[in-house]
Amino acid sequence: MDTNIDFKNIWKQQTSNKPSIEELLGKLKKFRHENLRKLILVNIMLISTSLAIAFIWYRYQPQLITTKIGIVLVILAMLIFLFAYNRLFMVFYRIDNTQSNHEYLQNLYTVRNKQKFMQTTMLNIYFMMLFVGLCFYMYEYTSKMPAMSSAVAYAAVLIWIGFNWFYIRPKTIRKQQSKLDGLINKFEEINNQFKEL
């Protein structure tokens, strides 16, 4: 079975009331651009944050080893996350209007698998390292505070991490999966129609 069907021409020959292939390819192009833009934005934000944290270390010279370990853990969390996240760049970059339906589907399946890895394994590692790093970092400064103020500072960090973990993360994952699954379903539908021809 030939998997490199020119589905654009066959789709044009269809007389049924289906959404146009141009519309579907437009959605794919929009999905690709949104994700490339988000990838670039995440890189800029995390690299800028890492540089700002490194500058704070250089400028204020923390005394305790725990503070330095905390800074290293936070920066390392961001760099490890970026290393894994940037592997999506080539997948998005490869998606273009010259591919066959099979190639579109394979690229979308690859995106889905990589996104699932990012949303589970990498985010778990990122949040764990970030939380531990922040706790270590804060120790030097909170140890000089009254016990109540110190507890409030740690509680605020825990609430912020919890809010991101339990509210922002699931909401973002659902949104990403919904868009991607919608595209995959439409391309699978087209693929199944061609198999029936």
Side-chain angles (χ1 to χ4, degrees):
M1 176 107 199
D2 182 18
T3 56
N4 290 321
I5 300 169
D6 184 4
F7 74 100
K8 293 174 196 158
N9 290 332
I10 295 174
W11 191 265
K12 287 177 187 172
Q13 295 169 11
Q14 298 277 324
T15 55
S16 61
N17 210 4
K18 301 281 181 193
S20 72
I21 192 64
E22 287 78 19
E23 182 183 330
L24 187 54
L25 289 174
K27 286 182 180 178
L28 181 65
K29 185 177 179 181
K30 183 180 175 190
F31 174 78
R32 175 183 179 257
H33 286 296
E34 281 175 3
N35 279 281
L36 284 172
R37 189 171 38 251
K38 187 165 71 169
L39 203 141
I40 291 166
L41 186 63
V42 167
N43 270 277
I44 291 168
M45 287 184 350
L46 290 183
I47 290 170
S48 300
T49 304
S50 296
L51 291 173
I53 292 168
F55 175 76
I56 289 169
W57 183 354
Y58 171 76
R59 178 73 175 89
Y60 295 104
Q61 294 294 312
Q63 302 303 308
L64 297 181
I65 189 72
T66 54
T67 313
K68 296 170 185 174
I69 291 170
I71 290 172
V72 169
L73 280 173
V74 169
I75 292 174
L76 201 56
M78 293 179 193
L79 295 179
I80 289 170
F81 182 82
L82 279 180
F83 177 75
Y85 190 53
N86 284 332
R87 299 177 106 189
L88 280 169
F89 180 79
M90 283 314 294
V91 179
F92 288 124
Y93 189 75
R94 278 196 308 254
I95 299 174
D96 62 35
N97 289 342
T98 63
Q99 295 177 321
S100 68
N101 186 39
H102 178 74
E103 290 170 319
Y104 284 130
L105 267 175
Q106 291 310 309
N107 282 328
L108 290 173
Y109 290 147
T110 302
V111 168
R112 182 165 59 186
N113 291 336
K114 287 185 183 289
Q115 271 189 353
K116 193 171 188 175
F117 174 73
M118 290 302 301
Q119 294 163 349
T120 54
T121 306
M122 292 314 301
L123 275 179
N124 289 345
I125 291 169
Y126 174 74
F127 274 103
M128 204 178 330
M129 289 178 72
L130 188 65
F131 178 68
V132 172
L134 285 172
C135 288
F136 273 120
Y137 175 78
M138 291 170 58
Y139 177 74
E140 180 173 342
Y141 308 106
T142 55
S143 64
K144 298 171 186 171
M145 298 177 175
M148 188 63 181
S149 299
S150 181
V152 168
Y154 275 105
V157 169
L158 187 60
I159 289 168
W160 176 75
I161 296 273
F163 175 74
N164 280 282
W165 182 257
F166 292 110
Y167 180 73
I168 302 290
R169 185 184 68 93
K171 188 177 175 185
T172 303
I173 288 171
R174 277 194 302 274
K175 190 176 173 185
Q176 286 175 341
Q177 285 177 339
S178 173
K179 284 183 181 179
L180 187 54
D181 288 345
L183 279 171
I184 287 173
N185 290 340
K186 286 184 174 159
F187 278 105
E188 283 176 338
E189 187 182 327
I190 292 170
N191 216 26
N192 291 336
Q193 286 179 2
F194 293 150
K195 286 176 183 173
E196 294 168 6
L197 293 176

